[in-house]
Amino acid sequence: MSEEKKQQQLKEVCRSRGVSLTPQRRAIMRALAVRGDHPTADQLYDDLSCQMPGMSRTTVYRVLETFVKLGLVRKVDSRASKAHFDADVTLHPHLVCLDCGKVCDFEDRDFGVLKPPAMTDDGFQIVDYAVTLVGYCRQCRHHEKASSD
Ligand SMILES: [Zn+2]
Ligand SMILES: [Zn+2]
């Protein structure tokens, strides 16, 4: 989804859910949508701190949580202690590097598509699931080789 379409979606969701569309929210959504590399809140804060000098790190964290609740942004199941965010909320698998923590989209978007039941026999209601492939990215594999020589 383009950055422009994402802004449109943000506008519509804010209107329908009675959430105000502040300049901060617009800027944070823009910063996330243009990157497309699943940044952390801190990375987005770094991107935004010169554009919007008055914005605090806490605001970035809080707005991202709001976006997740509104279904506008997904938190990637990345195994990292810091959450990575994705403006693409459609279900798609991710590749996560165990070394540098980089998160990428896996090229085959239909890989690992499951049809979980809505409820388990125990009464656990299933609302979502994630497909995460973990390993080592090309760069980290090269570093590994270089250092072991
Ligand atoms: Zn890596
Ligand atoms: Zn993604």
Side-chain angles (χ1 to χ4, degrees):
M1 189 183 274
S2 70
E3 194 264 322
E4 208 177 308
K5 274 196 185 144
K6 201 67 204 177
Q7 289 292 344
Q8 191 58 37
Q9 191 188 28
L10 171 65
K11 214 191 226 166
E12 279 159 20
V13 169
C14 283
R15 193 188 301 139
S16 70
R17 304 282 290 270
V19 176
S20 58
L21 185 59
T22 61
Q24 277 102 328
R25 289 188 173 138
R26 292 182 64 94
I28 293 166
M29 182 57 87
R30 185 175 315 116
L32 178 62
V34 296
R35 281 186 69 126
D37 66 343
H38 315 87
T40 62
D42 287 331
Q43 285 173 315
L44 290 174
Y45 173 74
D46 290 342
D47 288 354
L48 288 158
S49 54
C50 23
Q51 291 171 45
M52 305 200 85
M55 186 154 54
S56 72
R57 201 177 285 272
T58 318
T59 302
V60 177
Y61 274 81
R62 223 179 34 222
V63 167
L64 286 168
E65 291 300 332
T66 304
F67 286 166
V68 171
K69 278 196 202 115
L70 292 171
L72 286 163
V73 166
R74 235 177 212 272
K75 248 186 221 178
V76 181
D77 175 28
S78 70
R79 295 197 177 191
S81 53
K82 281 187 177 168
H84 287 258
F85 295 90
D86 198 344
D88 181 355
V89 292
T90 56
L91 186 68
H92 60 279
H94 288 109
L95 299 172
V96 175
C97 178
L98 291 168
D99 220 337
C100 65
K102 187 157 62 191
V103 178
C104 311
D105 289 339
F106 184 50
E107 55 207 14
D108 178 3
R109 290 182 66 93
D110 295 327
F111 179 85
V113 171
L114 307 169
K115 289 191 178 64
M119 190 83 80
T120 68
D121 293 342
D122 274 357
F124 186 97
Q125 187 191 3
I126 298 166
V127 296
D128 198 11
Y129 73 95
V131 177
T132 305
L133 306 164
V134 296
Y136 299 95
C137 75
R138 187 193 292 261
Q139 268 159 327
C140 290
R141 280 176 31 240
H142 283 310
H143 288 169
E144 189 68 30
K145 252 187 229 154
S147 58
S148 62
D149 281 345

